[in-house]
Amino acid sequence: GAPPSRALLVLGMHRSGTSAVAGALRRAGVDLGAGLMLPAPDNPKGFWEHAGIVAIHERLLAQMGRSWNDPRPLPEGWQNELACRSAAEELEVLLRAEFSGSPLWAVKDPRLCRLLPLWWPILGRMGVEPAALFVLRNPREVVASLSNRNQWPEGLSRLLWIQHLLDAEAETRAVARTVLTYEALLDAPVPALGAAFAGLGIAPPSLTQVERTALDGFVSRDDRHHVLPATQDPAWLLPQQMFQTMLAPVSPWAGLVPLRERFEQAEVLYADALDGFAQLQREERDARIEVDSRLLEYDAEVRSRGELILKLDGELGSLGQQHVALQEEYADRTRWALLLDEEAQQLRKEKQRLHAELQGTQVELQGAQAELQGAQAELHGTQAELRGIQAELKGTRAELQGIQT
């Protein structure tokens, strides 16, 4: 039958070069699936992490009261909890959708180092043969990179580096595994990947010259921003010994066993302190959440009152404009009333003048009527005299006729 599908699990602490390795695998023809996270300023060439897988890991850690940067061990028996079973169901659906039929695929997420027990049953049900590719970088450089990006205390980053490496080593003892150093990848990416494939018993993908050139161009020594030598600081003794042990050309894993024992002995001393500190952090976080919630309520009330004030200011402004308009209308009407009053006074004066003129006319009319009556009387008198003269004339004419006859 067909050979089983192979899954490369890229393992390493954050800032160890896992992104560069995953990106190089992609250019070498290894399937990383769709839906990869977008590049970011702190990783401009890309994270090469499947966003869906990272989201499942993040939710599971949160449900366990942990996060990717929490140095405490995971809760005892977490693999048997409902949260883990739910995450496994969701993860299996995603993996089958993304990688069914893919002969060689890879997953890169530093959270894998601590969550490998979630993966083994899923890969077994899928008939996928896993292989662990450890990406190793000088822990001092990892810590310096984290300090530069996250402004973390050196001790926290150092502890996380130790835990990620030891947890991943303990969980991969039953699968094929090998180590690829970040420095080797930067120096010669094609031979470095070839050696990694050989160490895992996987035939390396056949690359054309164009693909080899593209792979060489993707990886650059300029991407290594921190180069630090060993230090005599006692705090660095254990991680530096672990790093040197992992650089052994043949079977580096056995050398980690006594170093793990030393770490676990020290862990006993501070594990309770970390739990207590985490409890204090949770209480402080809950208190901050409560304060933030109240602040949000106060902010909402302030915004509501501010909006009311703005509304009232708007209404007041509108009333002010109405008041100005009414004042202008009142002034116009006052001027109109004054004009009317002035016209009324002029009309009253004109009335008085016309009344006086009427009275004078009436007096003149009365005088004219008296004169007319006198003239009429005089006319009557004249008419009477005229009749008398006419009578005398008539009599004279009669006498004259009598004389003539």
Side-chain angles (χ1 to χ4, degrees):
S5 175
R6 299 293 302 271
L8 289 179
L9 305 180
V10 180
L11 305 175
M13 173 59 187
H14 299 264
R15 313 305 291 176
S16 292
T18 53
S19 295
V21 170
L25 289 173
R26 177 67 173 269
R27 279 163 173 73
V30 179
D31 186 8
L32 299 184
L36 297 179
M37 292 176 60
L38 296 175
D42 61 317
N43 219 344
K45 290 187 176 181
F47 293 93
W48 306 103
E49 297 177 8
H50 194 290
I53 294 174
V54 173
I56 294 171
H57 287 168
E58 285 280 84
R59 282 195 295 273
L60 176 57
L61 288 171
Q63 289 168 341
M64 292 190 291
R66 298 293 192 269
S67 63
W68 72 269
N69 57 359
D70 190 328
R72 293 174 296 160
L74 298 183
E76 188 71 25
W78 65 270
Q79 305 93 321
N80 303 317
E81 297 295 331
L82 176 61
C84 184
R85 294 197 297 272
S86 299
E89 292 175 1
E90 187 178 0
L91 181 59
E92 184 169 350
V93 170
L94 186 153
L95 294 178
R96 288 185 182 276
E98 286 283 7
F99 302 112
S100 288
S102 181
L104 180 62
W105 51 277
V107 173
K108 172 258 172 177
D109 179 11
R111 298 162 188 81
L112 266 174
C113 293
R114 311 195 72 186
L115 295 176
L116 284 170
L118 168 69
W119 283 70
W120 302 138
I122 299 172
L123 297 178
R125 288 191 295 271
M126 292 176 62
V128 174
E129 182 179 345
L133 177 56
F134 281 74
V135 180
L136 186 67
R137 183 182 183 184
N138 184 332
R140 294 197 65 209
E141 296 176 8
V142 172
V143 169
S145 181
L146 284 168
S147 298
N148 181 65
R149 186 185 71 170
N150 300 89
Q151 289 75 53
W152 282 358
E154 184 179 276
L156 174 60
S157 300
R158 184 169 54 239
L159 180 56
L160 287 170
W161 185 89
I162 294 172
Q163 287 179 324
H164 276 66
L165 177 56
L166 291 181
D167 286 353
E169 187 281 323
E171 279 296 325
T172 56
R173 293 173 182 173
V175 303
R177 56 185 181 176
T178 192
V179 177
L180 171 58
T181 68
Y182 183 48
E183 186 171 5
L185 179 73
L186 297 180
D187 285 340
V190 174
L193 283 185
F197 282 123
L200 297 173
I202 298 175
S206 177
L207 300 179
T208 67
Q209 185 57 47
V210 172
E211 291 171 333
R212 296 169 67 92
T213 301
L215 177 56
D216 286 332
F218 171 73
V219 178
S220 170
R221 294 198 64 85
D222 293 337
D223 296 333
R224 186 183 183 187
H225 303 296
H226 302 276
V227 181
L228 298 174
T231 176
Q232 299 301 315
D233 185 341
W236 281 100
L237 180 59
L238 179 60
Q240 286 184 153
Q241 288 178 338
M242 292 172 60
F243 177 62
Q244 291 300 322
T245 298
M246 292 291 289
L247 291 177
V250 179
S251 186
W253 317 107
L256 287 181
V257 174
L259 299 178
R260 170 183 291 278
E261 293 174 354
R262 287 172 50 190
F263 174 72
E264 290 176 345
Q265 290 172 356
E267 189 178 34
V268 171
L269 300 177
Y270 67 76
D272 290 344
L274 285 179
D275 286 336
F277 179 70
Q279 177 63 29
L280 289 176
Q281 277 194 319
R282 281 195 299 271
E283 293 173 357
E284 291 178 357
R285 184 176 63 250
D286 292 343
R288 285 196 300 271
I289 291 173
E290 177 66 21
V291 170
D292 290 342
S293 177
R294 291 182 180 179
L295 286 176
L296 288 174
E297 292 176 1
Y298 294 151
D299 286 343
E301 184 176 353
V302 169
R303 285 195 298 272
S304 177
R305 292 187 178 184
E307 291 171 356
L308 178 60
I309 290 173
L310 290 175
K311 180 180 178 182
L312 292 175
D313 283 344
E315 293 178 356
L316 182 61
S318 177
L319 290 174
Q321 292 175 352
Q322 294 179 22
H323 178 66
V324 170
L326 289 174
Q327 284 183 323
E328 292 176 352
E329 183 179 355
Y330 174 76
D332 290 340
R333 294 193 176 189
T334 300
R335 287 191 295 271
W336 180 64
L338 291 174
L339 290 173
L340 290 178
D341 184 60
E342 184 178 347
E343 290 179 3
Q345 289 179 358
Q346 292 176 354
L347 289 173
R348 283 193 292 271
K349 290 178 181 180
E350 182 66 15
K351 177 183 176 183
Q352 291 173 353
R353 185 187 66 76
L354 291 173
H355 183 69
E357 184 177 337
L358 178 60
Q359 288 180 338
T361 302
Q362 288 177 339
V363 171
E364 291 178 0
L365 179 59
Q366 290 174 353
Q369 287 177 341
E371 290 180 1
L372 178 59
Q373 290 175 353
Q376 287 177 339
E378 184 178 350
L379 177 59
H380 289 317
T382 302
Q383 289 175 339
E385 289 179 1
L386 179 57
R387 286 194 298 271
I389 294 172
Q390 288 177 340
E392 288 179 4
L393 178 58
K394 186 177 180 179
T396 301
R397 286 177 176 171
E399 287 179 3
L400 183 54
Q401 289 178 351
I403 296 173
Q404 293 176 348
T405 59

